[in-house]
Amino acid sequence: MNKIKYKKFYLATTNKSKVERLAKIFRWISKDIYIEKIPESVNVEETEKTLEKNSLKKALAYSGIYRRPIISLDSGIFIDKEELDPVKIKRNALGNEKESNLTEEQISLKMQDYYRDIARKHGGTVEFYFKDVYTVLHPNGTYKQVAAVRHYDLTSIAKGKLTQFPLRTLYISKATGKRPFEQTEEDEMKELEPIIVGIKKLIDY
């Protein structure tokens, strides 16, 4: 039985790649539901120490503003044998530099260089996983959270087009054994299966 209550959602982000990914996942789930970027974004400082709290903080910033449910997310990177703050994927790479002083391309290149150096330190390849925490905030103020975990090999060799997901040039999916640019749509669905399952639970589909 289809339990879905809403068919239209807003994604609380200004990241074009995240919007495109979630829109694609929604199409894979059903042609009857869709998600789009929030009309007016609110600047939220991600100061919390956990993915769950940061994801919720982003969603609550839009409490009472829209009649559609708001979906927010926060992602962490967990690298085998590396002691780094998993919640700060971007900040780990930028160090003390101000993000506002850098272009999107400069940020992507710095992230690529930083994580490529980690792979080099481990002989060229190291296992890691992403944990994504999604929050849906309903118009009545209630919310729900789900988490999804995806496993990869991080490499020191960059291949493919640099996007707002700069690490995608460096890793190989454990689910498909391929780099993202090599994958078919069927492969991509297999890679992102944990997110697909998580989103279904999130929106009660």
Side-chain angles (χ1 to χ4, degrees):
M1 179 179 177
N2 190 341
K3 303 183 205 176
I4 193 167
K5 184 176 180 180
Y6 299 98
K7 295 186 183 236
K8 299 178 181 179
F9 299 79
Y10 282 135
L11 183 61
T13 184
T14 57
N15 187 309
K16 182 181 177 183
S17 294
K18 289 182 179 179
V19 175
E20 290 175 350
R21 172 181 283 178
L22 262 293
K24 183 184 293 185
I25 287 172
F26 268 58
R27 289 196 301 272
W28 288 339
I29 294 172
S30 172
K31 296 292 192 296
D32 296 326
I33 57 174
Y34 74 90
I35 190 167
E36 59 187 6
K37 185 180 74 173
I38 202 86
E40 293 185 22
S41 63
V42 175
N43 185 30
V44 179
E45 290 189 29
E46 299 176 36
T47 55
E48 302 296 335
K49 296 186 181 297
T50 68
L51 300 173
E52 289 78 10
K53 289 182 178 179
N54 268 329
S55 180
L56 179 59
K57 185 177 182 179
K58 292 176 188 179
L60 290 177
Y62 298 93
S63 183
I65 299 178
Y66 298 104
R67 294 182 180 178
R68 285 190 200 177
I70 309 296
I71 292 179
S72 62
L73 69 129
D74 199 29
S75 299
I77 188 168
F78 298 79
I79 303 177
D80 192 30
K81 301 174 185 176
E82 277 293 318
E83 293 185 7
L84 49 75
D85 189 339
V87 178
K88 299 178 179 178
I89 298 178
K90 187 188 301 183
R91 181 46 53 191
N92 289 331
L94 299 185
N96 294 324
E97 292 194 62
K98 288 186 178 180
E99 187 175 339
S100 58
N101 293 336
L102 301 169
T103 65
E104 285 185 2
E105 183 177 9
Q106 287 173 325
I107 291 171
S108 293
L109 288 170
K110 285 181 179 294
M111 290 177 67
Q112 187 185 68
D113 288 343
Y114 178 84
Y115 289 99
R116 178 164 45 194
D117 285 345
I118 289 178
R120 284 178 180 150
K121 187 170 72 172
H122 292 276
T125 306
V126 64
E127 293 184 341
F128 79 99
Y129 66 89
F130 283 122
K131 179 181 177 183
D132 308 297
V133 176
Y134 292 85
T135 302
V136 62
L137 176 68
H138 298 109
N140 65 3
T142 62
Y143 70 89
K144 182 178 181 179
Q145 288 189 317
V146 298
V149 174
R150 297 170 285 135
H151 294 270
Y152 299 90
D153 286 320
L154 182 68
T155 76
S156 59
I157 300 172
K159 291 186 178 181
K161 184 180 178 182
L162 190 67
T163 68
Q164 286 180 302
F165 292 133
L167 270 65
R168 285 183 75 76
T169 63
L170 297 175
Y171 59 63
I172 298 170
S173 168
K174 290 282 194 182
T176 66
K178 298 179 181 179
R179 289 178 178 269
F181 81 95
E182 300 173 317
Q183 294 182 156
T184 63
E185 184 171 20
E186 185 177 352
D187 289 328
E188 188 177 12
M189 289 176 71
K190 191 173 181 180
E191 177 203 350
L192 301 179
E193 178 67 15
I195 298 179
I196 297 171
V197 172
I199 293 296
K200 286 181 177 180
K201 292 178 181 178
L202 189 75
I203 62 176
D204 295 320
Y205 187 81

